[in-house]
Amino acid sequence: MQKIIFIHLLNDYSGSPKVLSQVIQMVQKNGFETELYTGKSEDGFLSGMAEKHHHYFYKRYKSRLLTLVTFMLSQVSLFFKLLKYRNENVIIYVNTMLPFGAGLAGRFIGKPVYYHVHETSLRPKILKRFLRYIVQRSASKVIFVSKTLKKEEGFSKISQYVVHNALSNDFLNTAISNQYRHLIDGQFNVLMICSLKVYKGIYEFINIASLCQREKHINFTMVLNASQSEIDAYFRAKEIPSNMILMPKQNDIVPFYQQASIVLNLSRIDEWVETFGLTIIEAMAFGIPVIAPPIGGPTEIVRDGVEGYLISSYEINIISNKIIKLSKDEKRSLSLSNSAIKRVNNFQEDAFERKIMDLIYE
């Protein structure tokens, strides 16, 4: 029986490990053995997924230089850990471009290496050039999460595929059973789920909330992929508007979608290009209108004025005015909601599984 060795850098509750967890479940269902390597971290979407879960040393620090040094050392460690598969029938499946040690090991021992690429906004640029070089030299196949990403980051003389992310059937069934409500107990609830990173638009979200403070029926919630202590330390000297709450990382985000009137993705268009936007389709599955960046993967999901709006996060006045108008226009909100539900049919798990398994069997 063939085995697939999955590699990811950091197991958390962000989008790329969530997608990888779906891939692992799918290949297991199709009879493949699985093993997983991740850097040591707290629990995340990959916890308990593979039959064997190995760890290698990796740690983030406040110092970017120290984090970079640790990252490079982690990949040396990962390289040597994977050499033991040289006499086994395995596929090395690398999630994101970051775990380059896996790509090098796969090439060194002569095993097929599949890269699942989610990102384009890697910093510093010299690191991105290095990672792209490793992919170019080691990959047998490359999977991109959007057409936009493939166009931006495509490689030469490598088999390349576009497989849009999808919602699990369980999640979709839960979402379908939910009835979208324009107002919940008289309140219009604005939600954003993101990492604790400036380029994700956290300050833009705060500023938009501030601009809406006079509208007492509008509330703002930001769910961050960070612990409560990290959030407290980060915002200790920052003023949070009275109509806004901050929440730490969640094992289950369904209750937040069930209470949301609109979902925002405010990634800065000049600092972090969203290559897909998993929270966007999650929100749309619940029938929630969305506001997303006008570039990158979101443009393949959201049609401006149909399921939501494509607006740069820097246009905080436009976004705040759009939120205020929607909060007072139930008919328009319900129209966007109905379109969002129909649009999600393009991002179902069955199609995702078929495409992933086809390229594995190919």
Side-chain angles (χ1 to χ4, degrees), residues 308-322:
Y309 301 97
L310 298 172
I311 309 171
S312 167
S313 62
Y314 291 122
E315 302 287 353
I316 60 172
N317 287 306
I318 294 176
I319 294 174
S320 59
N321 287 334
K322 189 71 70 177

Side-chain angles (χ1 to χ4, degrees), residues 22 25 67 116 129 156 168 171 173 239 281 288 293 302 307 318-319 351:
Q22 290 176 281
Q25 289 175 311
T67 299
H116 202 143
R129 287 196 295 268
S156 61
S168 70
F171 185 93
N173 290 334
E239 183 176 352
I281 61 169
I288 307 169
V302 181
E307 296 85 19
I318 294 176
I319 294 174

Side-chain angles (χ1 to χ4, degrees), residues 138-259:
S138 64
S140 308
K141 298 178 181 180
V142 179
I143 305 162
F144 295 97
V145 299
S146 66
K147 296 175 183 177
T148 303
L149 183 59
K150 181 176 181 290
K151 182 178 179 180
E152 182 73 21
E153 298 292 345
F155 297 89
S156 61
K157 300 179 181 180
I158 299 175
S159 297
Q160 300 174 90
Y161 309 81
V162 174
V163 181
H164 287 116
N165 296 337
L167 299 172
S168 70
N169 290 331
D170 287 343
F171 185 93
L172 194 57
N173 290 334
T174 300
I176 291 172
S177 67
N178 181 74
Q179 179 67 45
Y180 171 75
R181 291 170 290 169
H182 169 242
L183 297 180
I184 300 171
D185 296 329
Q187 299 296 301
F188 190 82
N189 299 324
V190 185
L191 173 67
M192 187 165 81
I193 302 171
C194 65
S195 302
L196 184 56
K197 303 290 184 183
V198 172
Y199 55 70
K200 285 292 189 176
I202 56 176
Y203 291 124
E204 285 77 4
F205 190 81
I206 292 171
N207 290 335
I208 291 167
S210 295
L211 289 172
C212 294
Q213 276 189 294
R214 291 184 179 180
E215 306 292 334
K216 301 303 181 184
H217 67 292
I218 303 180
N219 299 318
F220 289 77
T221 300
M222 184 157 55
V223 180
L224 295 159
N225 185 23
S227 66
Q228 188 62 56
S229 60
E230 289 172 326
I231 293 171
D232 292 341
Y234 192 90
F235 291 101
R236 183 171 292 121
K238 300 174 179 66
E239 183 176 352
I240 303 300
S242 59
N243 60 345
M244 175 180 165
I245 60 172
L246 298 169
M247 297 295 295
K249 57 187 174 183
Q250 304 289 317
N251 294 332
D252 183 12
I253 57 173
V254 166
F256 293 91
Y257 286 130
Q258 290 173 329
Q259 296 295 312

Side-chain angles (χ1 to χ4, degrees), residues 8 10 12-22 45-46 95-96 118 145 165-166 193-195 200 225 274 276-279 282:
H8 187 70
L10 190 63
D12 58 16
Y13 290 103
S14 60
S16 57
K18 187 170 189 177
V19 174
L20 184 62
S21 71
Q22 290 176 281
F45 286 122
L46 294 171
N95 199 45
T96 80
H118 301 255
V145 299
N165 296 337
I193 302 171
C194 65
S195 302
K200 285 292 189 176
N225 185 23
E274 288 289 351
F276 185 76
L278 194 58
T279 59
E282 288 179 343

